[in-house]
Amino acid sequence: MATAIEVRQLSKRYKEKILHELDFSVSEGEIIGYIGPNGAGKSTTIKILTGLIPDFEGSAIVAGMDVRQHAIEIKRVIGYIPENAALYDVLTPLEFLEFVGHLYGLEKDKTILKANELLKLFGLENSRNDRMNTFSKGMRQKVLLISGLLQNPKILFLDEPLSGLDANAVILVKEVLQQLKIAGKTIFYSSHIMDVVEKISDRIMIINQGKLIANGTFAELNEQAQSGSLEQLFTNLTGTGEHKEKASQLIDIIK
Amino acid sequence: MNKFILLLLDKIAILYKRSGVDYEQLRAIISVKLEINSRKTNGMLGQSTTGKQTSFTFGLVIYTIVGLLFALVIFFQNSALISFALLYAYIMVFIIMVLITDFSSVLLDTSDNTIILPKPIQDNTVFAARNTFIIIYISQIVLALSAGGIIFTFIKYGLVSGILFLVSLVLITLFSTNLTYTLYLGIMSFTSEETMKNTINYMQIVMTVVFMGSYQLLPRLIGNLEDVTQMLTFEDWMLAAPPFWYAAIQTLLLKQTEANLIIVLAIALAIVFPFALQFGIQKYFIPFFNNKLQDLAIQNKSDEKDKIAKSKMSFDFSSSIKKLLRLQLIENSGYLLTIASLKADRKLKLRIYPSIGYMAVFLIIILLNISRKNENWFVELNQTYHYLWLIYFCGFLLNTATFETLHSENYKARWIYESTNLEKPGMLISGSFKANLIYFFIPAYILISILILSLWGLKAFDDVFLGFFSCSLISLINTRLNQRFLPFSLPEEARTNGNNFARGLLMMLIVGVLSGLHYLLATIPYGITLAIIPFIFLFWMMMNNIQNMSWKEITT
């Protein structure tokens, strides 16, 4: 299977080094769950791969193109939903999606048709002409998801895509991701919702303090660590497994 | 209007395409930004809430009036060099200030980047879109500001001069815009986003004062313009002042000066400099700009940590003042919340700090009025009670601060008050009042006291002392009768609430009664001295009364 993403010795430094020589590759059609504690470097990795941070060490190839040299071409074939992304919230979702379509050079009529169908699918058909400043977090997240799918990307980068979604929407997104995989799309996504990552990812990569500390299928990782669940595996590997003790301490403190 | 602007843009699409910009993408961005702008409130003048587009239109009307007043210089001053240089300087300063104030959000908006930059769009298209949007906005303001200048130039100097004025306006707009970009670039290269935003915040405060000051002072100054030193020739030093470059063009056309090397050099600078800046920006700025913004968005997190550490240090410092205030536990919460907001909330600063500048403008107006009536005004000044104006105008600062610290973007955080078992929520109000007193009013009052004592002498000492308690009392009475709200518990929109007019009237009544009483006491021998103790007692009583306010007495 062809390689969709290839990363070699990828490092990034601001005041201090926040990514340390990452090495991994992703095949076309794979779903990668990219997980790690807060501040581990997940979003920075995704921003580098989507051409948003051009200044880094090592190499990153996405869709067969070098990120440094072909950022624009890469952006044409990927979809990206950032964490805490802004929306022009005085616009309606339809206006916003039409705008996104313009930036991708999509035809106006087709964009509106597609946007309407996607809005309907995500249960937003009655709100399509309302300004988004009245939307809940979940509704905004749905609009963002649609904006990332609008141009039919080959590779989809999702940074916390399930944040704020209600249970039905989470199930819908899980289904959408599965269907996209069947359609041959590559999905690289980070999330804190472990059971979803466990269930839908072909492969899981765990990053901690800028270092890739695990990379494999859930079964492989589970076999190595004998954890039972991804949640347990995650806490074991990222060194945050003292939750019980911390909870007891908390009770003592508030007494 | 937006459609008309887009139509105009379509006419020059070829220029964009030739410079490698994706015009369709640029048009989409401009179209959306214009739409957003027309649905949002205006930044610099606007505190308006629902008027949306009307607040911007209202702003333009104000700019036109102020511009008309300033353009009178063309009628009153026969030296083209002076009159045009003054007018151009005014327009330039205005453009730069507007760019810094209203458009800092456009230039430094990293949230916008999360929408646009992940899309397949070249940096030069993003930059051109930002630039075009700013120029569209600025052009409307420049036209409003210079409408008077254009009319008066056509009337007084004729068609050619009028056309040259318009050409100069285009060059001035380009020059000022590019100069501001270069300034941004410079500051961004050497500083953090926090410092940058703070700098912009202070510029915004200055801008608000300049605007208000020019509105108040220009009509008063314009009559004196005939007395301005007659500078009819172009001096060497004028090469260092860009408004003179553009004024030189008119001066030469109107044959008010001979063509010489300096004049030619000035005109060359006027034409070449805006484009030279543009070239520099294109070459060095565009590749740097978006990357830098991306970096700033990430660096900001670590700056926040530094900021928290610094603010902790300053709390330690203020704890010594707190001891003097004998703050009670709950009162302390109101105090700390208000102090922290006064230090960190830029929007709050922007609403409160300009009133200090207004005070300076007010002082100048008082002195101007006095000096016009009497040539020996300075000698006879200390026989007047004009300082009472200053004292009570300073009291206005405290009222502004107590009013503004009721409002917040995050007013919903008031749930914290309601979820706790506070018995006397008035404690929070008194804590907040004390914070305003310490952090804002006392420093300003000390300054104004020094000024009053140096101009009027020690005879005003009692008045200054009484004035402090009287001003504080006005604010306390106003809080008790008029503003029974917990700190930061009202939404921003509540500021323009219809009830505020009635509140304002009541407030004026309180000021009128207390300042009138002060004036009467000042005319009675020992009246002020004898009144000090009762005023302190009233102050203490009001403070106690507010501290004991229950939930029933608080307006929620």
Side-chain angles (χ1 to χ4, degrees), chain A residues 186-235:
Chain A
T186 309
I187 296 159
F188 189 95
Y189 86 103
S190 77
S191 177
H192 288 300
I193 305 178
M194 297 295 165
D195 65 323
V196 178
V197 176
E198 186 182 321
K199 278 173 191 147
I200 69 164
S201 305
D202 295 320
R203 200 143 53 85
I204 294 163
M205 294 199 282
I206 304 179
I207 183 172
N208 191 27
Q209 295 179 341
K211 292 174 186 157
L212 199 61
I213 54 169
N215 183 356
T217 63
F218 174 65
E220 286 167 356
L221 297 179
N222 196 30
E223 199 177 307
Q224 284 169 24
Q226 296 293 312
S227 312
S229 70
L230 182 60
E231 196 174 88
Q232 191 57 50
L233 178 73
F234 180 80
T235 51

Side-chain angles (χ1 to χ4, degrees), chain B residues 30-223:
Chain B
I30 296 295
S31 167
V32 157
K33 285 195 181 272
L34 285 172
E35 195 55 43
I36 291 168
N37 207 36
S38 65
R39 292 180 192 181
K40 269 185 181 171
T41 50
N42 174 244
M44 199 175 78
L45 289 169
Q47 304 287 345
S48 118
T49 51
T50 51
K52 311 298 178 192
Q53 182 67 26
T54 49
S55 70
F56 180 62
T57 315
F58 174 72
L60 289 182
V61 172
I62 299 290
Y63 291 146
T64 312
I65 295 168
V66 175
L68 263 168
L69 288 173
F70 209 93
L72 286 174
V73 73
I74 290 176
F75 267 130
F76 283 98
Q77 177 57 254
N78 281 325
S79 161
L81 187 64
I82 298 300
S83 58
F84 281 103
L86 278 174
L87 190 56
Y88 291 152
Y90 185 67
I91 293 169
M92 272 182 183
V93 168
F94 227 95
I95 296 173
I96 292 171
M97 288 297 196
V98 167
L99 277 168
I100 289 172
T101 55
D102 274 15
F103 275 86
S104 58
S105 55
V106 176
L107 280 167
L108 298 174
D109 190 3
T110 47
S111 63
D112 193 58
N113 283 359
T114 64
I115 300 172
I116 293 175
L117 295 188
K119 310 296 182 291
I121 181 165
Q122 298 280 3
D123 283 348
N124 62 343
T125 305
V126 177
F127 190 80
R130 282 182 202 270
N131 213 2
T132 306
F133 181 57
I134 288 169
I135 284 174
I136 290 169
Y137 181 86
I138 286 290
S139 301
Q140 295 176 66
I141 292 171
V142 169
L143 270 177
L145 267 180
S146 48
I150 295 167
I151 296 165
F152 294 153
T153 308
F154 271 106
I155 294 171
K156 188 169 178 181
Y157 295 115
L159 184 69
V160 181
S161 204
I163 291 168
L164 261 183
F165 186 88
L166 287 171
V167 173
S168 299
L169 276 183
V170 174
L171 288 171
I172 283 169
T173 308
L174 202 61
F175 172 82
S176 312
T177 313
N178 288 338
L179 188 72
T180 315
Y181 278 146
T182 314
L183 276 175
Y184 267 109
L185 175 69
I187 298 172
M188 281 170 77
S189 310
F190 299 107
T191 187
S192 69
E193 190 184 17
E194 276 306 294
T195 318
M196 175 90 177
K197 284 183 175 170
N198 283 333
T199 311
I200 290 167
N201 191 225
Y202 290 119
M203 293 297 283
Q204 286 175 318
I205 291 164
V206 171
M207 178 64 197
T208 318
V209 175
V210 166
F211 183 80
M212 190 272 186
S214 59
Y215 188 71
Q216 293 288 335
L217 291 175
L218 276 180
R220 292 173 170 84
L221 289 172
I222 215 92

Side-chain angles (χ1 to χ4, degrees), chain B residues 15 27 302 304 308:
Chain B
L15 294 176
R27 196 183 190 281
S302 56
E304 280 297 318
I308 290 164

Side-chain angles (χ1 to χ4, degrees), chain B residues 328-391:
Chain B
Q328 299 185 42
L329 194 62
I330 298 165
E331 205 176 21
N332 193 29
S333 308
Y335 177 89
L336 287 178
L337 177 68
T338 307
I339 287 280
S341 302
L342 285 169
K343 281 180 181 170
D345 186 338
R346 294 189 187 94
K347 286 188 178 170
L348 187 63
K349 282 184 194 173
L350 184 57
R351 293 198 303 264
I352 298 178
Y353 283 26
S355 48
I356 297 178
Y358 295 165
M359 203 166 71
V361 173
F362 190 71
L363 177 68
I364 295 169
I365 291 172
I366 289 178
L367 294 180
L368 268 177
N369 284 341
I370 299 170
S371 66
R372 269 196 191 159
K373 286 175 194 160
N374 190 345
E375 279 186 7
N376 295 322
W377 67 277
F378 193 76
V379 181
E380 293 170 19
L381 189 66
N382 69 356
Q383 287 159 24
T384 67
Y385 290 109
H386 288 308
Y387 55 81
L388 289 181
W389 285 104
L390 293 177
I391 288 174

Side-chain angles (χ1 to χ4, degrees), chain A residues 46-54 62 67-68 71 74-75 78, chain B residues 117 291:
Chain A
I46 292 179
K47 280 181 183 167
I48 289 173
L49 295 178
T50 50
L52 289 170
I53 303 179
V62 174
V67 171
R68 275 201 198 88
I74 289 171
K75 286 174 187 176
I78 64 167
Chain B
L117 295 188
N291 294 346

